[in-house]
Amino acid sequence: DVKVTQSSRYLVKRTGEKVFLECVQDMDHENMFWYRQDPGLGLRLIYFSYDVKMKEKGDIPEGYSVSREKKERFSLILESASTNQTSMYLCASWDPGGEKLFFGSGTQLSVL
Amino acid sequence: QQPVQSPQAVILREGEDAVINCSSSKALYSVHWYRQKHGEAPVFLMILLKGGEQKGHDKISASFNEKKQQSSLYLTASQLSYSGTYFCGTDDQTGANNLFFGTGTRLTVIP
């Protein structure tokens, strides 16, 4: 079974801090995604990557950046965390054979 | 680009049926359905490709009307295990398999 692992389940940071959210998948998938999930707003795409060092903006990229130095790892970076970035962050990878996304368990980030 | 889901929430008794709708303003290549139980990751249920097919497994099925840019998820004879939030994800084939998800439908099944 595909595993998408997010490094932290809960994270508490202070306003202005630089925050790194890490995601690793073990199935050699090319496409990886970062979503944020907020009550009433569903899942919104922040960034995605279709290859190493390749990235594309999603619907809400402002305040975020990403890094994909290795195929299995896709990192989301909050350059200067703000309280409105308090959210659940979900990483996913695309399984082309099954035509579906596999999600990680999520990181609940609180910015104080 | 976010699809519209309805209803936002529904409460069912065990054994009752429900329909969740998903509507897009854009032409679609495929529609995905995922279920997320409380505190867990969303899990894939099924994909429907353009062509108007209907799919299903167990007592959960879905249809896709590509002309109307709509999909519906049908849950029949609901079980307690069906409780969770259901998301539709739409693919208009303009990106690298990136899906646009609806706001979700919270389904609660009670005994």
Side-chain angles (χ1 to χ4, degrees):
Chain A
D1 239 6
V2 175
K3 271 200 115 170
V4 179
T5 303
Q6 294 184 232
S7 53
S8 304
R9 185 73 179 93
Y10 299 97
L11 213 50
V12 180
K13 295 291 180 181
R14 295 212 173 272
T15 303
E17 278 192 79
K18 190 168 186 175
V19 182
F20 292 86
L21 302 183
E22 306 286 347
C23 175
V24 177
Q25 50 96 0
D26 66 355
M27 281 299 290
D28 205 37
H29 290 164
E30 291 186 349
N31 297 354
M32 295 185 73
F33 307 83
W34 275 105
Y35 291 90
R36 67 175 277 177
Q37 182 174 19
D38 300 288
L41 297 178
L43 300 164
R44 293 179 293 164
L45 182 65
I46 306 171
Y47 265 98
F48 64 98
S49 168
Y50 50 91
D51 204 349
V52 174
K53 296 192 188 295
M54 306 301 284
K55 60 188 179 186
E56 292 283 345
K57 293 179 180 179
D59 286 338
I60 51 165
E62 296 78 21
Y64 303 95
S65 62
V66 290
S67 171
R68 188 132 181 239
E69 296 296 319
K70 293 185 177 181
K71 196 173 188 179
E72 66 270 19
R73 186 180 296 270
F74 191 34
S75 302
L76 180 69
I77 304 157
L78 287 68
E79 297 291 343
S80 177
S82 63
T83 54
N84 63 13
Q85 292 178 309
T86 290
S87 185
M88 170 67 81
Y89 290 88
L90 289 163
C91 173
S93 72
W94 176 260
D95 170 19
E99 291 190 283
K100 58 187 174 184
L101 288 172
F102 282 95
F103 284 90
S105 297
T107 296
Q108 179 62 53
L109 173 68
S110 297
V111 183
L112 306 177
Chain B
Q1 301 198 55
Q2 191 172 30
V4 177
Q5 270 185 252
S6 63
Q8 289 187 333
V10 59
I11 299 175
L12 299 173
R13 292 201 177 276
E14 267 186 297
E16 290 183 336
D17 302 340
V19 180
I20 300 172
N21 298 303
C22 176
S23 177
S24 174
S25 59
K26 300 189 78 174
L28 300 175
Y29 170 73
S30 67
V31 178
H32 295 226
W33 286 96
Y34 289 78
R35 176 172 63 203
Q36 183 180 31
K37 293 188 182 256
H38 184 67
E40 298 180 10
V43 173
F44 174 80
L45 291 176
M46 64 188 79
I47 177 175
L48 298 105
L49 302 174
K50 70 178 182 179
E53 65 176 280
Q54 186 146 348
K55 264 195 178 178
H57 63 86
D58 200 7
K59 295 189 175 80
I60 300 176
S61 62
S63 63
F64 177 25
N65 186 322
E66 133 195 20
K67 284 184 182 173
K68 291 186 178 179
Q69 295 157 200
Q70 292 175 348
S71 177
S72 295
L73 185 72
Y74 307 95
L75 301 102
T76 57
S78 58
Q79 306 166 18
L80 295 175
S81 62
Y82 287 3
S83 291
T85 301
Y86 289 78
F87 292 99
C88 68
T90 56
D91 178 5
D92 57 9
Q93 227 181 5
T94 55
N97 305 115
N98 53 297
L99 300 180
F100 296 97
F101 285 94
T103 53
T105 297
R106 178 179 282 186
L107 181 84
T108 305
V109 181
I110 57 176

